Amino acid sequence: MEDKPQGLLISPIKDGTVIDHIRAGAALTVLRMLGITGQTEEELSIATNVTSMTCGQEGKKDIVKVSNRELSKEEVDRIALISPKATINIIRDYIVAEKKGVETPKLLYGIIKCTNSGCISNANEPIKSAFEVTEAGLHCLYCDTVITTDIESHII
Ligand code: CTP
């Protein structure tokens, strides 16, 4: 059988952000978290379930490239929650100008919607939801609810 031709799956970008090593299958969630929809105008490239070699082990990953945009800390924190091994590469004039891993924050403000409908953070008050990341799960600082499962679906 012939080998597949080798080459770049998606082109390098000139300026913007490459979110690399995203958990396989999570790229579309990352886009949703960045507010990117069919209606927005970013120049985007997405690759999902790409073969990747990390630490000598073959695995799968997703990649998202967004031109002309750098991410806020809150956006990076959201990505960390669903993909702790992601790397954020800032590209300037085709060069990787900065590369950093993501870090799961200890406190999450305005990122998670509390599952308790009676929580004050769900009462249209001018406050952001507030959660502490603990070993048991995400602990709401207003009503003490602890979210333990399916964290992804509670990201605002
Ligand atoms: N990249 C890009 N456009 C550029 C430069 C880099 O899209 N102008 C992408 C690369 O394709 C890669 C990511 O940015 O997905 C990081 O680039 P680089 O650090 O050169 O790649 P690696 O060394 O493979 O990164 P890592 O060690 O983080 O796996």
Side-chain angles (χ1 to χ4, degrees):
M1 211 166 72
E2 269 182 46
D3 280 346
K4 269 199 281 178
Q6 297 292 308
L8 285 175
L9 191 65
I10 41 180
S11 306
I13 60 171
K14 181 173 186 299
D15 294 292
T17 303
V18 175
I19 310 160
D20 201 355
H21 304 287
I22 300 171
R23 180 168 55 73
L28 296 180
T29 307
V30 168
L31 293 184
R32 181 176 71 78
M33 291 186 320
L34 298 181
I36 295 171
T37 67
Q39 270 70 54
T40 49
E41 292 189 348
E42 285 90 350
E43 193 182 307
L44 273 185
S45 314
I46 305 157
T48 64
N49 295 312
V50 179
T51 303
S52 149
M53 289 291 290
T54 313
C55 307
Q57 276 200 314
E58 197 173 273
K60 300 271 183 197
K61 68 172 180 178
D62 287 6
I63 310 171
V64 169
K65 302 187 182 190
V66 195
S67 292
N68 304 315
R69 175 159 166 188
E70 298 190 6
L71 306 185
S72 66
K73 180 178 175 337
E74 208 174 77
E75 288 170 331
V76 174
D77 285 353
R78 283 185 163 86
I79 292 170
L81 274 180
I82 61 150
S83 207
K85 292 190 178 142
T87 51
I88 310 290
N89 300 273
I90 311 287
I91 314 294
R92 296 193 188 116
D93 206 11
Y94 290 106
I95 304 290
V96 180
E98 280 175 45
K99 181 192 290 283
K100 54 182 184 227
V102 299
E103 218 176 296
T104 309
K106 302 227 173 344
L107 292 168
L108 304 169
Y109 293 106
I111 290 179
I112 299 290
K113 182 172 164 57
C114 188
T115 50
N116 170 11
S117 58
C119 178
I120 191 161
S121 65
N122 286 324
N124 286 327
E125 295 291 334
I127 51 167
K128 286 184 171 179
S129 70
F131 284 83
E132 185 183 6
V133 181
T134 69
E135 280 185 15
L138 304 182
H139 170 212
C140 176
L141 297 182
Y142 291 110
C143 73
D144 285 335
T145 294
V146 179
I147 303 177
T148 54
T149 53
D150 198 13
I151 284 163
E152 204 165 309
S153 70
H154 303 300
I155 296 175
I156 296 168

